[in-house]
Structures are given as structure tokens and as C-alpha cells.
Amino acid sequence: MSFVYASNAQDTLKTVQLEDVFIIGVRAGEKAPVSQNTFDRASIEAVDLGQDASLTLEKLSPSILSFSDAGSGAGNYNQFRLRGIDQTRINITLNGVPLNDMIDQGVFFSNFVDFTSSMESIQVQRGVGLSSNGTASYGGSVSYESANLDTEMPSAGIEFSAGSFRTLRLNAEAATGKSENGFSTYARVSRITSEGYKYHSGSNAQSLFFSTGKFFDNSVLKLTAFSGKTQNDQAYLPVLLSDIESDPRTNYFSKNDTDDFEQEFIQLQYAQTINEELTWNSSAYYGGARGFFPFFDSFFNAQTLYVLSNNHYGLMSQLNWYKEGFQLSGGLHAYAFDRENETAIAPQISNPYYNDRTDKDEFSAFARIEYDISDLTLFADVQFRNVSMTFNADTLLQLSGIHEYTRSESFFNPRIGATYSLSKSNNVYASFGRTGREPTRTDLLQGDFNSAISAFNYTAFINDNTVKSEFVNDFEVGFRHASEKLKVNINGFFMSFENEISLVGGLAQNSYVALRQNVKNSKRSGLEFDAKFDASDNLSLGLQATFMNTQVDSFDTDVEILTNVEHVFAPDLLLSQSLSWKPLKQLRINFDTQYVGESFMELGNDPNFVIPSFFVANASMKWSISSTVDFGLYINNLFDEVYFTDGAPVDFDFDGSPEGPGFRIQPPRNYFLTLSMKF
């Protein structure tokens, strides 16, 4: 089922799938004054090998840099940064529903592996994005759309991958297509195992993705769910350069340090075309996660188990009204999120010595308008968020004297902009957006996760000024060209921060959480370039580049106040190039490179703590044996470069005097083979 709407300036009325109504609220149109890229199923399949979703995003969008704990990229823990801004400050949604953990605001794709394989499209917005549901679109947003159910033909497929580090992946999916009575179902199951590049850094994971829907004459009812379970060997500790030089696979964890997590998600959606100008959609959802990870606690001289469980319940509803040259949207979203943290001494996981509970509730509303005046499209978007987080401290130890505290805040997030069409193929745009973001639970606990020490840190909650909320003013200006053979997007940005909760480069005593603190004034500015040229039917070239400058006006180290320092993990240049050549009808060869400039790993900008620049090249080949069978060969790190994308000063005894720089090494030359069959 489809309906007709006017999307933005100079666009003719167009027909879109009814399922697209679910993502209109969080996505920007082609001419919206937003720095963004949207990728369809074919673009995703070209780079997705079942690796962590973070690594797939890096291959799709400018300004994204990912890193892997284990080095393999398949299973275990992987994260990404956008414009040097970490994943906890990026809004991530599936069909408009937030995937972020609302308490600590990150997303662990490791809990539900092979996620990208079930996606119909992905949109990445850089900078302050449109009003989104869930955590603030502070550094950017990533919007996932699940597999399209409105297809006529049934299909099925299976894919097998094997490669370096004893990595194995089995993926099977099937879709019924829409039946005569309007029912349609899609399902995928995946299993991934890997030993990882570092010693005992393996992963054993499986996931299920399921979606089914009933299509009526003017509406659709859709149920989407996924579930995953993962066991990962721990490998997140940065390793001293001297130890890497002795043995690049060094891992400070033992083979017994293995975590165990599971996560599930279920979403019920309804969308209706009330008439040709008005649509309505609503969703109810639940997300849950639970598990534990170990760490050796020197205080107890034993392995400590950090145990947690989450429950996330939400409702949202949205109206969209379309007239030729005019679009008005508005919506509401509310959720309740609870987290229980426990700490136990292994193996007594069922007998914790510490327990606390955190509850977070949010209500948000947004309104958005687009209005066409000849070649000019005017855009305005405003969001109101009210969040309330209640801490119930140390229920077993009762040490702090303050056992419950509530912190409530409200944010008003506006965005305005305009796009001017120079011609059918060219437009320019400019926008301004401002958004605020509350601290995470670990920010308020000053990096502690959950241990006896937390009982004393809860006094930090009493003073709201201990960790302030952060705000950003984001100015964007850009030029876009889209013709049959060439697509170019050039975007300039200037982001001015107030009380930014900045990474400082150190690690908390559990060595898992990166330390952050407020810095009063800071900024990021840069230029992003994204181009693709189809030279012929058989040859295409791509180029992405980000030139960025960052500055923190002042940083208090507790010893001295440093001025005009650069942010951590913010290289001044990210450059990637791709070439795709089809010498034969059945054969495609790809070659891509990535250059990343050096960056500091601590906010003091000590030249002894720098992540070096690197250049990496990859090559791949895909051979279509028949119309239903494909074979692929992938060679990563073609020139066997030793490189790092993340690190931290290593301070084994946490005495404030680091032993030296530590790095998370990425893998040497490695290989993967894939065989896929469609039926």
C-alpha cells in the first residue's frame, strides 16, 4: 500500500511505501538542510559481511571512525565515533524506536550480531540531527529501517563466511512476500564465532531477527522483534606499546575472563493513511538486556562480576500532513527505563554483595514544518524533552546515607534552516541547531560502574553542578550535486559546546569506563566531502574526506589549567577512497583505502600519548557463479600495516603516573571467503 505526499521544495508529488511512514519522523528528506547520507539495501549489501554494525557504518559515511577490542571486527566489542564524538552521544533508532541504553546512552551491537543484514536502509545524520526519539541527537544520529515487507515475491537465502582468526558465520533468511490476504513475514537467523586477533579475545554469538505484518487497504499493522545472545572474551584493556612490540597479540585479560549477555527487542507498529494528505503512525515497544562481565578486583584479590539488567518500555505516536509545497509533522514519545546493577565475587553470581537500581522516565514532543517558496525550502524543527532519573543506592551496603535521589531536567531543542535549488541537479543549504543532553549514570558516578566505591560516589548526585548537562550550537552549510553519473556533497560545520562532557583520556578503576568531565567552552569545525562518480557501467569511483579542527578552551587537570588543547580521538584528517571495477559481467573487483591522521589520547595533549596516523588498504572480489550463487574473497589490511584506532594512558596501579601509552591494535592482513545462495 502506498500514499502520495510532497516531500520538500520543487519535488513533485511522489508515491512511497506505507512502511516508510514509520521512519519519516526521524529522517531528513533529500533536500532538507541537514548533513546526511541515506543508503539503500544494495549499498548496504556491498559492504556488509556480517561484521559489527559499527564497522559497516564506517564504510558508508564520512566522519565515522570505528575500532574493535578483539581486532577481528566479527563479534566481541566494537564502537564508532562521529566527528570524534563517542557513541553514547549519538541517537540510534530502528524504525523510529530508540536502541540506546537510556541510562548510559550507548548501544552494544555485539549483543545482537549480524544486525545490518536485516536492514532495508540506513540514514546517517551528522551534527545536531532532526528531533529524534530517545537520547539526544547530539553528535549525530543513525536511523535504521528494517527489511521491507511490502514485496510480492517470496525469497530465501543462505550465506556462509569463513576467514582469519577462525571466524565462521552462518546466516539464513527467508521472506514470504505479501500474500493475497495481505500477510507478509521476514526472518533471519545468524551464528558467528571467532577467536579474535588478540589472544583469548574470541566471541560466540547468535541472533534472530523477525518481522511480520498485515496490510489492509489504507493501513498496516507490523510486528518487529530481534533477540541475541553473546559470550565474549574480554579484550578491552589498552596494551602498552612495549608489550605490543614484543607480541602484537598481547591481551592483559586471562582466558577465564568471559562475559555473557543477551538482549531482546519487540515493537508493534500501526500506520494509516487517513486521506491523501494525512498519515498517522504509532508504536509500542519493549527492549531488555541482561548479563555480566568480569574484572579482577585488587581490593578483594578476586575476580569481580559486574551484573546488570535493563527493561525499557515505550510508546510513540506521530501525525504527518502533506500539501503540495507544505509538510507539517508532530509527535509524542514517552518511555520508562529501569536498570539494576549488582556486584558479586566469582563464582557467587547469585549472591551479590552490592546492589543498586536506577529508573529513568522521559516525555518528549516535537513539531516540524517544511514550506516551499519557489526554489527555496524553509525548514523549522523544535523538540521538548523532559527527563527524570531516580537513583536507589547501595541497597545491600547502605553506606552512603542517601539512598534515593531524583534528578530532573528539561531541554528545548530548536533547529532552523533553508535549502535553495540552483538547478535540478544542484542545491545549497544552511542550518542552525541547538540541543542539550543530560549526563549518563557513569558520568555522574565519575566513571565508576557499580561497586562498593559507588556507595560513596552517590553523594555526587546531591549537587547537580558536579556534572552539568552539556549543550551544543551547530552551524551547517553545504552544497549538493546529484546527476546521473556524479553525486557530490560538500558540508562545512561549526559546533560550539557549552559544558561539554568531554573525554579526558583516562580510564576508571575498573578500566572499562572512559573518564569524562565538563569543560566550559569547546568547539569543533571542519569540512566534509563525499563524492561518487560512475565513469561507466563497469567502473565507479568514490571519495570521502573530513578535515576537522577541535579546541578545548581550558582543561583543569587538578594540577594545572591547560588552555587551547585539542579533543581526544579527533584526527584532523579522515580520508577514504573506493574503486569498483567490473571487467566481466559476472565479476566485480573492489579496492578501497583509508587514511587517518594522528590524534591525542588524553586531553592534556602530551606528545608522548598520541595515536599515530595510519594508511590501510583493502581489496575484494565478488564472482556471480550463477544468478543465485555468489562467491566473495576479501583481503583486509592488504599491506599488513600495524595500526591503532584507539588507546589510553596505561596506569596499572591508578596512582596518576601512567606507565606509558596503551593501544587497541587492529588486525594485520586477514582474509575472508563468502558463499551466498538465493532461492
Side-chain angles (χ1 to χ4, degrees), residues 82-85 493-497 500 502-503 519 521-527 546-554 563-574 598-600 602-603 605:
L82 176 55
R83 293 183 178 172
I85 296 173
F493 64 89
F494 176 78
M495 305 176 76
S496 176
F497 300 87
E500 180 181 6
S502 175
L503 288 166
V519 292
N521 296 300
S522 56
K523 57 186 71 75
R524 298 170 193 258
S525 59
L527 185 69
T546 299
F547 306 88
M548 186 169 65
N549 176 265
T550 74
Q551 180 179 307
V552 176
D553 287 356
S554 64
T563 59
N564 298 327
V565 294
E566 295 181 22
H567 283 92
V568 298
F569 309 127
D572 55 4
L573 176 60
L574 297 175
E598 68 175 26
S599 61
F600 291 104
E602 55 83 48
L603 200 50
N605 290 183

Short mmCIF file of all heavy atoms in Angstrom, two decimals, residues 82-85 493-497 500 502-503 519 521-527 546-554 563-574 598-600 602-603 605:
data_model
loop_
_atom_site.label_atom_id
_atom_site.label_comp_id
_atom_site.label_asym_id
_atom_site.label_seq_id
_atom_site.Cartn_x
_atom_site.Cartn_y
_atom_site.Cartn_z
N LEU A 82 31.71 9.66 15.65
CA LEU A 82 31.25 10.51 14.56
C LEU A 82 31.73 11.93 14.85
O LEU A 82 31.37 12.52 15.87
CB LEU A 82 29.73 10.46 14.48
CG LEU A 82 29.01 11.34 13.46
CD1 LEU A 82 29.54 11.10 12.05
CD2 LEU A 82 27.51 11.12 13.52
N ARG A 83 32.58 12.46 13.96
CA ARG A 83 33.24 13.74 14.19
C ARG A 83 34.01 13.72 15.52
O ARG A 83 34.09 14.71 16.23
CB ARG A 83 32.25 14.90 14.17
CG ARG A 83 31.62 15.17 12.81
CD ARG A 83 30.69 16.37 12.86
NE ARG A 83 30.11 16.65 11.55
CZ ARG A 83 29.15 17.55 11.31
NH1 ARG A 83 28.69 18.27 12.33
NH2 ARG A 83 28.68 17.74 10.11
N GLY A 84 34.53 12.56 15.88
CA GLY A 84 35.27 12.40 17.12
C GLY A 84 34.40 12.30 18.35
O GLY A 84 34.91 12.24 19.47
N ILE A 85 33.08 12.27 18.19
CA ILE A 85 32.13 12.22 19.30
C ILE A 85 31.71 10.78 19.51
O ILE A 85 31.32 10.09 18.57
CB ILE A 85 30.92 13.13 19.02
CG1 ILE A 85 31.39 14.59 18.93
CG2 ILE A 85 29.85 12.98 20.10
CD1 ILE A 85 30.32 15.56 18.50
N PHE A 493 30.96 22.66 8.82
CA PHE A 493 30.28 22.69 10.10
C PHE A 493 31.11 23.44 11.14
O PHE A 493 32.34 23.47 11.09
CB PHE A 493 29.96 21.28 10.60
CG PHE A 493 31.16 20.42 10.90
CD1 PHE A 493 31.76 20.40 12.16
CD2 PHE A 493 31.71 19.60 9.90
CE1 PHE A 493 32.86 19.60 12.43
CE2 PHE A 493 32.81 18.80 10.16
CZ PHE A 493 33.39 18.80 11.43
N PHE A 494 30.38 24.04 12.07
CA PHE A 494 31.00 24.67 13.23
C PHE A 494 30.12 24.34 14.43
O PHE A 494 28.95 24.70 14.48
CB PHE A 494 31.11 26.18 13.07
CG PHE A 494 31.66 26.87 14.29
CD1 PHE A 494 33.02 26.84 14.56
CD2 PHE A 494 30.82 27.52 15.18
CE1 PHE A 494 33.54 27.46 15.70
CE2 PHE A 494 31.32 28.14 16.32
CZ PHE A 494 32.68 28.11 16.58
N MET A 495 30.68 23.61 15.40
CA MET A 495 29.95 23.18 16.58
C MET A 495 30.58 23.83 17.81
O MET A 495 31.76 23.63 18.08
CB MET A 495 29.98 21.65 16.71
CG MET A 495 29.47 20.91 15.47
SD MET A 495 29.61 19.10 15.59
CE MET A 495 28.24 18.76 16.71
N SER A 496 29.79 24.62 18.52
CA SER A 496 30.24 25.31 19.71
C SER A 496 29.55 24.69 20.93
O SER A 496 28.32 24.63 21.00
CB SER A 496 29.90 26.80 19.62
OG SER A 496 30.24 27.47 20.82
N PHE A 497 30.36 24.21 21.90
CA PHE A 497 29.83 23.45 23.03
C PHE A 497 29.87 24.28 24.30
O PHE A 497 30.79 25.08 24.52
CB PHE A 497 30.65 22.18 23.24
CG PHE A 497 30.66 21.25 22.07
CD1 PHE A 497 31.60 21.40 21.05
CD2 PHE A 497 29.73 20.22 21.96
CE1 PHE A 497 31.61 20.54 19.97
CE2 PHE A 497 29.74 19.36 20.88
CZ PHE A 497 30.68 19.52 19.88
N GLU A 500 30.66 20.93 27.72
CA GLU A 500 30.78 19.62 27.09
C GLU A 500 31.32 18.59 28.08
O GLU A 500 32.26 18.85 28.82
CB GLU A 500 31.73 19.70 25.89
CG GLU A 500 31.91 18.36 25.19
CD GLU A 500 32.87 18.42 24.02
OE1 GLU A 500 33.49 19.49 23.81
OE2 GLU A 500 33.00 17.40 23.32
N SER A 502 33.40 16.06 28.20
CA SER A 502 34.45 15.65 27.28
C SER A 502 35.23 14.45 27.82
O SER A 502 35.52 14.36 29.01
CB SER A 502 35.42 16.81 27.05
OG SER A 502 36.51 16.42 26.25
N LEU A 503 35.60 13.56 26.92
CA LEU A 503 36.56 12.52 27.27
C LEU A 503 37.88 13.17 27.65
O LEU A 503 38.33 14.10 26.98
CB LEU A 503 36.77 11.58 26.08
CG LEU A 503 35.62 10.62 25.73
CD1 LEU A 503 35.85 10.03 24.35
CD2 LEU A 503 35.53 9.51 26.75
N VAL A 519 33.99 20.51 30.39
CA VAL A 519 34.87 21.60 30.01
C VAL A 519 33.97 22.74 29.57
O VAL A 519 33.01 22.55 28.82
CB VAL A 519 35.86 21.20 28.90
CG1 VAL A 519 36.85 20.17 29.43
CG2 VAL A 519 35.14 20.65 27.67
N ASN A 521 34.03 25.62 27.70
CA ASN A 521 33.85 26.04 26.30
C ASN A 521 34.75 25.21 25.40
O ASN A 521 35.94 25.03 25.70
CB ASN A 521 34.19 27.52 26.13
CG ASN A 521 33.26 28.43 26.90
OD1 ASN A 521 32.06 28.42 26.69
ND2 ASN A 521 33.83 29.21 27.82
N SER A 522 34.18 24.71 24.32
CA SER A 522 34.97 23.94 23.35
C SER A 522 34.30 24.04 22.00
O SER A 522 33.14 24.48 21.88
CB SER A 522 35.09 22.48 23.79
OG SER A 522 33.80 21.90 23.98
N LYS A 523 34.99 23.61 20.97
CA LYS A 523 34.43 23.74 19.62
C LYS A 523 35.04 22.69 18.69
O LYS A 523 36.16 22.19 18.92
CB LYS A 523 34.63 25.14 19.07
CG LYS A 523 36.09 25.61 19.03
CD LYS A 523 36.21 27.06 18.60
CE LYS A 523 35.72 28.00 19.66
NZ LYS A 523 36.64 28.14 20.80
N ARG A 524 34.29 22.39 17.65
CA ARG A 524 34.75 21.53 16.55
C ARG A 524 34.31 22.20 15.25
O ARG A 524 33.16 22.64 15.14
CB ARG A 524 34.14 20.12 16.62
CG ARG A 524 34.51 19.33 17.88
CD ARG A 524 33.69 18.06 17.99
NE ARG A 524 33.83 17.47 19.32
CZ ARG A 524 34.58 16.43 19.63
NH1 ARG A 524 35.26 15.83 18.66
NH2 ARG A 524 34.65 15.97 20.86
N SER A 525 35.19 22.25 14.28
CA SER A 525 34.84 22.81 12.97
C SER A 525 35.51 21.99 11.89
O SER A 525 36.55 21.35 12.13
CB SER A 525 35.26 24.28 12.87
OG SER A 525 36.65 24.41 13.07
N GLY A 526 34.91 21.99 10.72
CA GLY A 526 35.52 21.19 9.67
C GLY A 526 34.77 21.22 8.37
O GLY A 526 33.75 21.91 8.21
N LEU A 527 35.29 20.45 7.45
CA LEU A 527 34.73 20.32 6.11
C LEU A 527 34.62 18.84 5.78
O LEU A 527 35.58 18.08 5.95
CB LEU A 527 35.63 21.02 5.10
CG LEU A 527 35.14 21.08 3.65
CD1 LEU A 527 33.93 22.00 3.53
CD2 LEU A 527 36.26 21.56 2.72
N THR A 546 37.18 14.11 5.55
CA THR A 546 36.79 15.02 6.63
C THR A 546 38.04 15.73 7.13
O THR A 546 39.02 15.09 7.53
CB THR A 546 36.14 14.26 7.80
OG1 THR A 546 34.96 13.61 7.34
CG2 THR A 546 35.77 15.22 8.92
N PHE A 547 38.01 17.06 7.05
CA PHE A 547 39.07 17.90 7.62
C PHE A 547 38.47 18.56 8.86
O PHE A 547 37.46 19.24 8.77
CB PHE A 547 39.52 18.96 6.62
CG PHE A 547 39.93 18.40 5.28
CD1 PHE A 547 38.99 18.22 4.27
CD2 PHE A 547 41.25 18.06 5.03
CE1 PHE A 547 39.36 17.72 3.03
CE2 PHE A 547 41.62 17.54 3.80
CZ PHE A 547 40.68 17.36 2.79
N MET A 548 39.08 18.36 10.01
CA MET A 548 38.47 18.83 11.25
C MET A 548 39.50 19.45 12.17
O MET A 548 40.64 19.00 12.27
CB MET A 548 37.76 17.67 11.96
CG MET A 548 36.98 18.08 13.21
SD MET A 548 35.92 16.75 13.84
CE MET A 548 37.16 15.54 14.32
N ASN A 549 39.07 20.52 12.84
CA ASN A 549 39.88 21.18 13.86
C ASN A 549 39.06 21.24 15.14
O ASN A 549 37.87 21.54 15.10
CB ASN A 549 40.26 22.59 13.41
CG ASN A 549 41.03 23.35 14.47
OD1 ASN A 549 40.45 24.10 15.25
ND2 ASN A 549 42.34 23.15 14.51
N THR A 550 39.67 20.92 16.27
CA THR A 550 38.95 20.97 17.54
C THR A 550 39.75 21.78 18.56
O THR A 550 40.98 21.88 18.46
CB THR A 550 38.71 19.56 18.11
OG1 THR A 550 39.93 19.02 18.63
CG2 THR A 550 38.16 18.61 17.05
N GLN A 551 39.01 22.33 19.52
CA GLN A 551 39.70 23.11 20.55
C GLN A 551 38.89 23.10 21.84
O GLN A 551 37.67 23.30 21.84
CB GLN A 551 39.88 24.56 20.10
CG GLN A 551 40.58 25.45 21.13
CD GLN A 551 40.75 26.86 20.64
OE1 GLN A 551 41.29 27.08 19.56
NE2 GLN A 551 40.28 27.83 21.43
N VAL A 552 39.56 22.84 22.95
CA VAL A 552 39.01 22.99 24.30
C VAL A 552 39.69 24.21 24.90
O VAL A 552 40.91 24.25 25.02
CB VAL A 552 39.26 21.73 25.15
CG1 VAL A 552 38.76 21.95 26.58
CG2 VAL A 552 38.58 20.53 24.53
N ASP A 553 38.89 25.22 25.27
CA ASP A 553 39.48 26.48 25.73
C ASP A 553 40.33 26.29 26.98
O ASP A 553 41.42 26.87 27.08
CB ASP A 553 38.37 27.50 26.01
CG ASP A 553 37.75 28.03 24.72
OD1 ASP A 553 38.25 27.65 23.64
OD2 ASP A 553 36.79 28.80 24.79
N SER A 554 39.83 25.49 27.93
CA SER A 554 40.64 25.24 29.13
C SER A 554 40.26 23.90 29.73
O SER A 554 39.11 23.47 29.64
CB SER A 554 40.45 26.35 30.16
OG SER A 554 39.12 26.39 30.64
N THR A 563 45.26 25.43 28.50
CA THR A 563 44.39 26.19 27.60
C THR A 563 44.64 25.79 26.15
O THR A 563 45.74 25.38 25.77
CB THR A 563 44.62 27.70 27.77
OG1 THR A 563 45.99 28.02 27.48
CG2 THR A 563 44.29 28.14 29.19
N ASN A 564 43.57 25.93 25.36
CA ASN A 564 43.64 25.71 23.91
C ASN A 564 44.24 24.35 23.55
O ASN A 564 45.20 24.26 22.77
CB ASN A 564 44.42 26.84 23.23
CG ASN A 564 43.77 28.18 23.43
OD1 ASN A 564 42.54 28.29 23.50
ND2 ASN A 564 44.58 29.22 23.54
N VAL A 565 43.66 23.30 24.11
CA VAL A 565 44.09 21.94 23.78
C VAL A 565 43.09 21.32 22.81
O VAL A 565 41.95 21.76 22.69
CB VAL A 565 44.23 21.07 25.05
CG1 VAL A 565 45.36 21.58 25.92
CG2 VAL A 565 42.92 21.03 25.84
N GLU A 566 43.52 20.26 22.12
CA GLU A 566 42.65 19.56 21.18
C GLU A 566 41.89 18.44 21.89
O GLU A 566 42.36 17.87 22.87
CB GLU A 566 43.49 18.96 20.04
CG GLU A 566 44.18 19.98 19.17
CD GLU A 566 44.96 19.31 18.04
OE1 GLU A 566 44.64 18.16 17.69
OE2 GLU A 566 45.90 19.95 17.53
N HIS A 567 40.71 18.13 21.36
CA HIS A 567 39.95 17.00 21.87
C HIS A 567 40.72 15.69 21.66
O HIS A 567 41.56 15.59 20.76
CB HIS A 567 38.60 16.87 21.15
CG HIS A 567 37.56 17.85 21.60
ND1 HIS A 567 37.39 19.07 21.00
CD2 HIS A 567 36.64 17.78 22.60
CE1 HIS A 567 36.39 19.72 21.59
NE2 HIS A 567 35.93 18.97 22.56
N VAL A 568 40.40 14.70 22.47
CA VAL A 568 40.97 13.37 22.26
C VAL A 568 40.22 12.67 21.13
O VAL A 568 39.06 12.96 20.85
CB VAL A 568 40.91 12.53 23.56
CG1 VAL A 568 41.72 13.18 24.65
CG2 VAL A 568 39.47 12.32 24.01
N PHE A 569 40.91 11.72 20.47
CA PHE A 569 40.34 10.90 19.41
C PHE A 569 39.69 11.74 18.31
O PHE A 569 38.62 11.42 17.81
CB PHE A 569 39.32 9.90 19.98
CG PHE A 569 39.82 9.11 21.14
CD1 PHE A 569 39.12 9.06 22.33
CD2 PHE A 569 41.01 8.42 21.06
CE1 PHE A 569 39.58 8.33 23.41
CE2 PHE A 569 41.49 7.69 22.14
CZ PHE A 569 40.77 7.64 23.32
N ALA A 570 40.32 12.85 17.97
CA ALA A 570 39.77 13.75 16.95
C ALA A 570 40.84 14.06 15.91
O ALA A 570 41.42 15.15 15.90
CB ALA A 570 39.26 15.03 17.60
N PRO A 571 41.15 13.11 15.01
CA PRO A 571 42.16 13.35 13.98
C PRO A 571 41.75 14.50 13.06
O PRO A 571 40.56 14.70 12.80
CB PRO A 571 42.23 12.02 13.23
CG PRO A 571 40.94 11.32 13.54
CD PRO A 571 40.54 11.77 14.90
N ASP A 572 42.74 15.23 12.58
CA ASP A 572 42.43 16.38 11.72
C ASP A 572 42.09 15.97 10.30
O ASP A 572 41.57 16.79 9.53
CB ASP A 572 43.58 17.38 11.73
CG ASP A 572 44.92 16.75 11.32
OD1 ASP A 572 44.93 15.55 10.97
OD2 ASP A 572 45.95 17.45 11.37
N LEU A 573 42.34 14.71 9.93
CA LEU A 573 42.02 14.26 8.58
C LEU A 573 41.58 12.81 8.57
O LEU A 573 42.26 11.94 9.12
CB LEU A 573 43.25 14.42 7.67
CG LEU A 573 43.10 13.90 6.23
CD1 LEU A 573 41.97 14.62 5.50
CD2 LEU A 573 44.41 14.03 5.45
N LEU A 574 40.41 12.58 7.99
CA LEU A 574 39.93 11.23 7.66
C LEU A 574 39.73 11.20 6.16
O LEU A 574 39.02 12.05 5.60
CB LEU A 574 38.60 10.91 8.36
CG LEU A 574 38.56 10.87 9.88
CD1 LEU A 574 37.12 10.65 10.35
CD2 LEU A 574 39.44 9.76 10.41
N GLU A 598 46.91 11.59 12.88
CA GLU A 598 47.19 11.30 14.29
C GLU A 598 46.22 12.07 15.18
O GLU A 598 45.64 13.09 14.79
CB GLU A 598 48.63 11.63 14.63
CG GLU A 598 48.97 13.11 14.60
CD GLU A 598 50.40 13.37 15.06
OE1 GLU A 598 51.26 12.47 14.94
OE2 GLU A 598 50.66 14.50 15.54
N SER A 599 46.05 11.59 16.40
CA SER A 599 45.19 12.25 17.38
C SER A 599 45.74 12.00 18.77
O SER A 599 46.50 11.05 19.00
CB SER A 599 43.75 11.74 17.28
OG SER A 599 43.69 10.35 17.54
N PHE A 600 45.35 12.85 19.70
CA PHE A 600 45.76 12.68 21.09
C PHE A 600 44.85 11.68 21.79
O PHE A 600 43.66 11.58 21.49
CB PHE A 600 45.72 14.02 21.83
CG PHE A 600 46.77 15.00 21.38
CD1 PHE A 600 46.44 16.06 20.56
CD2 PHE A 600 48.09 14.84 21.77
CE1 PHE A 600 47.41 16.96 20.13
CE2 PHE A 600 49.08 15.73 21.35
CZ PHE A 600 48.73 16.80 20.52
N GLU A 602 44.84 11.73 25.26
CA GLU A 602 44.49 12.36 26.54
C GLU A 602 44.42 13.87 26.34
O GLU A 602 45.08 14.43 25.47
CB GLU A 602 45.45 11.95 27.65
CG GLU A 602 46.91 12.20 27.38
CD GLU A 602 47.32 13.63 27.67
OE1 GLU A 602 46.98 14.13 28.75
OE2 GLU A 602 47.98 14.23 26.80
N LEU A 603 43.55 14.51 27.14
CA LEU A 603 43.18 15.90 26.89
C LEU A 603 44.30 16.88 27.21
O LEU A 603 44.25 18.04 26.78
CB LEU A 603 41.92 16.24 27.70
CG LEU A 603 41.09 17.45 27.25
CD1 LEU A 603 40.78 17.39 25.77
CD2 LEU A 603 39.81 17.54 28.06
N ASN A 605 47.11 16.73 25.90
CA ASN A 605 47.87 16.82 24.64
C ASN A 605 49.36 16.59 24.84
O ASN A 605 50.21 17.20 24.18
CB ASN A 605 47.64 18.17 23.96
CG ASN A 605 46.25 18.34 23.37
OD1 ASN A 605 45.95 19.34 22.74
ND2 ASN A 605 45.37 17.37 23.57
#
